[in-house]
Amino acid sequence: MGKPAPTPYKGPEVQTPETVEAMRIAGRIAARALAEAAKKIAPGVTTDELDRVAHEYMCDHGAYPSTLGYRGFPKSLCTSVNEVICHGIPDSTVLRDGDIINLDVTAYIGGVHGDNNATYLVGEVDEESRLLVERTRESLTRAIKAVKPGRQINIIGRVIESYAKRFGYGVVRDFTGHGINSSFHSGLIVPHYDNPNATTVIQPGMTFTIEPMLTLGSYEYDMWDDGWTVVTKDRKRTAQFEHTLVVTDSGAEVLTLP
């Protein structure tokens, strides 16, 4: 707290086995905090209440919520409802039957971060929204399977965009996956659309997130005056899923499993 931004990361993207093991612990706590908060999702619940649950779980398990105070962000997780693409700030907003909500939780412990998110249905949700959520989850699964040492990082965006296009979904471009380790955002960028400039070669020991954001309409966005909340320009719904990974000799291991 008190710093406008963290010191830029200048270390390697490939991590030591010790760092990866620490990230397994951070990832597990983040995943369990996400699951605990998600249990509370229901019509009538406030996003502040979800923040409270995740905050308490992380603190009770020796972790610090990475978002709390990060570049001035005021809460312990992000709650992004319906047309909010990402970085929604928990407050007195009450969830309604038919909403969808993304919870994004990052835990810091042992000098490293673990970052994950998922989108959930609130009560009875329309078919179009339900399918969007299901297919966004599937796009992440497919992207993780595409991670192999020696491939360029663009394989991730190519797989996500080609799948999303089948259904006419937009793929958000300006918010990406990222390198993660002792730094919340290391500087490595992982696009979720087919970007031929994303030529970084995937190597064993690299740690990063994949977190596709798919929309029912345009991928263009507006930013609220709070400087954080990002919404679709056409106000159509959007969903997101995220895991933190480490690249192995043959593929990728998900570090954010409960």
Side-chain angles (χ1 to χ4, degrees), residues 4 12 53 58 85 121 130 134 140 154 182 188 216 233:
V53 172
M58 285 185 271
I85 295 171
L121 311 180
R130 190 184 61 75
E134 195 177 288
L140 173 59
N154 185 43
S182 59
L188 176 68
L216 288 176
K233 194 170 270 295

Side-chain angles (χ1 to χ4, degrees), residues 129-179:
S129 299
R130 190 184 61 75
L131 285 172
L132 173 69
V133 171
E134 195 177 288
R135 290 164 176 166
T136 305
R137 183 192 290 112
E138 174 65 15
S139 77
L140 173 59
T141 300
R142 289 173 179 236
I144 292 169
K145 286 179 180 166
V147 173
K148 297 277 190 298
R151 290 179 169 177
Q152 292 185 345
I153 214 148
N154 185 43
I155 187 69
I156 293 166
R158 192 178 310 144
V159 164
I160 291 166
E161 186 167 40
S162 64
Y163 179 70
K165 271 185 170 172
R166 286 196 212 170
F167 311 105
Y169 296 152
V171 181
V172 172
R173 293 172 171 239
D174 292 307
F175 300 89
T176 66
H178 52 89

Side-chain angles (χ1 to χ4, degrees), residues 5-73:
T7 306
Y9 177 75
K10 292 191 167 63
E13 297 298 344
V14 172
Q15 304 305 312
T16 65
E18 292 76 19
T19 297
V20 172
E21 183 53 38
M23 289 180 68
R24 279 194 190 94
I25 294 167
R28 199 174 302 132
I29 290 172
R32 289 174 177 169
L34 177 67
E36 284 301 306
K39 287 178 189 173
K40 294 283 187 184
I41 292 172
V45 173
T46 65
T47 54
D48 256 343
E49 172 65 7
L50 304 177
D51 178 75
R52 183 191 65 77
V53 172
H55 178 92
E56 286 185 5
Y57 186 90
M58 285 185 271
C59 293
D60 287 350
H61 291 82
Y64 183 85
S66 302
T67 59
L68 185 59
Y70 178 78
R71 296 180 181 270
F73 191 83

